Amino acid sequence: MYSKLHTRMFYWFLAGALSVFAPLVVAKSAIQSPTIEEISILQTEPANHPLSLLRRGVFEGWARVSLAIDEEGKLIDALIVGYSHIEFGQATLDALHEWEFTPAKINGETVSSVTQLTFTYNRDSSGAAVIPVSMMEFIGKRFVSSQPEENKLVRLDQLDGIPVPLHIVSPAYSAKNAQDHTGEKVIVKFYIDEKGHVRLPTLKYADSPEIARQALAAVAQWRFQPPTYEGKPVITRASQEFRF
């Protein structure tokens, strides 16, 4: 099959929970000075304040979501990584599935990408306000640190233990692939959710679109022991490098 392919698991430690995945960077000729256009969002439906919380006297809150948008602007997956109340998390997911998106672009070409949004809820507004991660970076980290118990996203170095792989699928590279792409590499970034499933896999780097697609498809099928923090299931992020 692909005897020259080597893989090495390494972990992508976060500077904080407000990081954002960049769109796919691929092909050596395109990584010199790429022109990147971020995902744009059309809110066709508001993210409504849950009535159950209003009845309980909960008038403010927030939810943070990571989402993947494909080349056609379709929502592939959405993962709630933090919230003040779980009901705000569900309201956020419900709204996202009704929205429209314009995909990210690199050098004018649409690409799949992953980004992160924070929704803030207030009883005085008609719906939730959406704060992109880039804006949150300017605000600072106080928003996150003020309610750390609600953040489901935990760094790998803070977990009770490194998640153990339970099911690993190798990329479907042929012997010819290995020969044609000797010396090249692919780096795939992904979340591991509370059940150990890989979510929102995306590419940090790839020397070739052909080997990138196969590596991404393989990682999407991986399973791990659920990551835990202080004995509770959480979400974390990691990276996998494939090198020929």
Side-chain angles (χ1 to χ4, degrees), residues 26-49:
V26 66
K28 297 177 181 178
S29 61
I31 64 175
Q32 300 302 320
S33 56
T35 301
I36 298 176
E37 299 177 41
E38 300 290 348
I39 296 168
S40 60
I41 305 168
L42 174 61
Q43 294 179 238
T44 56
E45 296 289 338
N48 294 316
H49 199 301

Side-chain angles (χ1 to χ4, degrees), residues 4 7-8 23 32 54 93 119 128 186 205 226:
K4 295 185 179 180
T7 63
R8 177 171 61 92
Q32 300 302 320
L54 290 174
L93 287 179
F119 290 61
V186 177
Y205 178 85

